[in-house]
Amino acid sequence: MLEKIDITSLPALPHLLLRLLVVCDQEEAQLEDMLALLRQDQALTAQVLATATSRPAKSSVHGSALQIAFATLGAEDIRELALNAALNYIAHTTPGVGLNEIKQRWHHALLSAHLARALASKVAYADGDEAYLAGLLHDIGRAILWAHAPTLYLNAMAGAHDEAALLARESRELKINHAQAGASVAQSWGLRSFLADAIRYHHELPQRLLNAHVLVRIVSVAHYLAEVEADATLDASVLAVLNLSADDARALQQLAQTRLGEAETAFAVAPHTEPAPAQPDAEPEGERRRFRADAARTLVSPLALAEQALPQQLAERVRDMVAIQSAKNSLFSAPDLAAWQQALRHNLQSLFGLKEVVLFLPSSREGVLQGVNGAANGLAEQIQIAADDPHSLLARALRQGHPLHSFQTPEVLLTVLDEQVMSLAGGAGMLCLPLLSTGKVAGLAVCAISAEDAERLTVRLPVLSRLGHQAGSALGSKLSPKAPASPPRAEQARKILHEVNNPLSIIKNYLRIVAMKLPQDDAAHADLKIISDEIDRVGSMLKGLLGGQGFAPNFVANIDLNRTVMDMLSLLKPTLIEPARVQVQTLLAADLPALQTDAGQLKQILQNLIKNAVEAMPDGGKLRIVSLRTQIRSDVGVELRIEDSGQGIPDAIRARLFQPVATRKGGDHAGLGLAIVNGLVRGLGGSIECEAMPVGTAFIIRLPAPVKRS
């Protein structure tokens, strides 16, 4: 089960998530603002730490583990993570996990985090941030088990009225309890901390904790104080773990409750009440605190009604963010000013229903805009707008830097110039959209609107403003002095490659949503996993290109070569091998050593060579794959042979086979496949050669074990 855990599927508190999306969508989004929000949610914090684990850390960054993870990812990756979390919440279908359960989990995690920080201060533990993080994540295992085995976990929770019973039932139903699951996941993050131990031992009896590391003790006591009832007698044996008095504990509880209340107010979280749980007929004695998992909790706050709109609000926010991202791509990829104008008009119409647009761009006079040539039957170019005009609605929109429309200010008279432009646009009213580049006016779009349009668009003015910023930035790049030809093309390619990651991420999210809707034993899960793995591989290759890493490995792990071969054959059989009427024979040695290499690059090598072999047999044939263990003196390695029964390769071509131009294929083949394979193999510290056979061709790859980075 641990192998199937996907941290990104854990549901976050939607109230906080909506606020995070607003911050991420700002033009100059600050990492500090994102961090301040994200560190208040257990699921989002875990996702940041898990994602940052797969990236090379920035050695120049210092601070807490979460601060380092944030700096490693950057604003764009955090924005993508927030979008994914919103999509996950919108489509969340885990049985038994509704908004109330998510709120309860958030409440307990954040309360424990504030208690852990307060306890750290009380006992003079130097790293308060680490204590806060450990308190926030100490119960992450429950969220993990619930998200990945909901039916089994509901069975485990049934009848578990205390912690010991819950842990025992989890172990019986799932072969692992939530403390073990959470610790295992935290261990995989590779933090230099006892965080994983704090998660693993937070349910331990007090007498076993007296000599444990102080972080472990802090988290255990924080969990206890977060769960114990306000009017209950405090367990002296628990307080003795940190040498606390009852008065100390109550003061710390009050402080943490205050901090939690501030967060509930900030995010408009409706409070909830819970009925007194039914007492079990017979329970083992000696349990030091009750496990509160009663599902029959009801919302009583007036904010509850507003909470029902959260999924729709998140969906609208995600829709707008994706739409603006798509608009940004079309605006920046426009090759010239005419194409940019067309892209802007298209986006205004498709996203906001604004069909009639008059554009004003900078003129030769400083601070003055002039109508675009040809707009509004050629009359627009005779109109000039001065940004410092104190009366004009057009000028006011330019000075304020955000959209205004004529129905917003009926008490203010429009100038004759305003009415002339409104007449050119052809509407009963007009919307003025400033186009800004690095905070400066780059242009103005004036759109014809009706009173009904104004009412419809008023709530979407912030989205229009973001479009104006993107359009202005793209326009600024078109109007700026031309740089040498090569760097802009390289930069544009870099941007395009980077933006490809966004739809890939969304596709993967929807694959996960589909998987959540399938029965757990459905055979389609295997196919969905193959698609998901291939999306990850494409993303990894793109990131390698963006980082200028060439063929250097991105992620090194222990790889079973035989398993990788079989996985690639399973992927290619339905779409490539079987339609070509090719038979496959595998002879895979059982004693192969594990390779320490990049699985994605190894798969790319196999895919290219298998594809080439199949294409070499247009009338069908036999594909033979052989793996062997090799050893020369003390150097252990593996050898992989991929043989086809095709027509073979002439000697003259085989001599320069791994050069980019060596191809006999027609159509869109550029002869790059084997050159790429050669670069990948060498980057993994290995070698490749081509061998002519009596019938067909063999490619032989030799890799050392463990494979070393070049």
Side-chain angles (χ1 to χ4, degrees), residues 80-93:
E80 181 180 319
L81 184 148
L83 273 172
N84 290 345
L87 280 170
N88 182 64
Y89 180 81
I90 294 165
H92 194 64
T93 57

Side-chain angles (χ1 to χ4, degrees), residues 321-402:
M321 291 178 72
V322 172
I324 294 301
Q325 186 64 45
S326 175
K328 174 184 174 182
N329 294 342
S330 65
L331 289 163
F332 274 91
S333 61
D336 52 36
L337 189 59
W340 172 87
Q341 292 182 41
Q342 183 177 0
L344 177 59
R345 294 176 190 276
H346 170 75
N347 283 299
L348 286 170
Q349 179 173 350
S350 61
L351 300 181
F352 303 99
L354 300 171
K355 299 179 181 180
E356 303 299 329
V357 184
V358 180
L359 287 174
F360 294 86
L361 300 182
S363 69
S364 56
R365 292 172 54 196
E366 182 72 22
V368 175
L369 303 181
Q370 185 167 357
V372 171
N373 182 31
N377 298 321
L379 293 175
E381 61 186 289
Q382 301 180 38
I383 299 291
Q384 291 188 336
I385 302 171
D388 58 0
D389 186 329
H391 306 293
S392 168
L393 177 67
L394 299 161
R396 195 184 327 145
L398 293 175
R399 290 195 302 274
Q400 295 182 7
H402 57 76

